[in-house]
Amino acid sequence: MTSAAAAKAYYRTSDYFATTPGQWFGKGAELLGLSGPARPEDFDRLADNLHPQTGESLTTYTRDGRRVVSVHS
């Protein structure tokens, strides 16, 4: 994915959220204090460099054109 918008569009149209209820898990979720169900809006916030629950920026700045990496197990 080359942008947050591209990542959000891909997951919206791939039926990923429609067929698989998301759950927070792993070290990243633990570090952010996330547990329970993960909603599509949560992914959108993460793609925009924002904490899903608080809306606070996850890093000190966001660069335009940054690469968004998707990891699947």
Side-chain angles (χ1 to χ4, degrees), residues 24-68:
W24 292 112
F25 67 94
K27 189 70 167 176
E30 182 182 326
L31 289 170
L32 292 173
L34 302 171
S35 63
R39 302 165 306 152
E41 303 84 52
D42 297 334
F43 177 80
D44 289 350
R45 280 192 165 184
L46 282 174
D48 289 330
N49 192 37
L50 301 173
H51 189 287
Q53 294 174 341
T54 67
E56 292 180 35
S57 180
L58 293 174
T59 60
T60 50
Y61 68 94
T62 301
R63 294 179 297 157
D64 289 336
R66 66 187 165 89
R67 188 162 181 85
V68 177

Side-chain angles (χ1 to χ4, degrees), residues 5-29:
K8 290 188 279 188
Y10 172 80
Y11 284 106
R12 287 276 185 253
T13 59
S14 70
D15 289 334
Y16 177 80
F17 288 116
T19 60
T20 307
Q23 291 289 320
W24 292 112
F25 67 94
K27 189 70 167 176

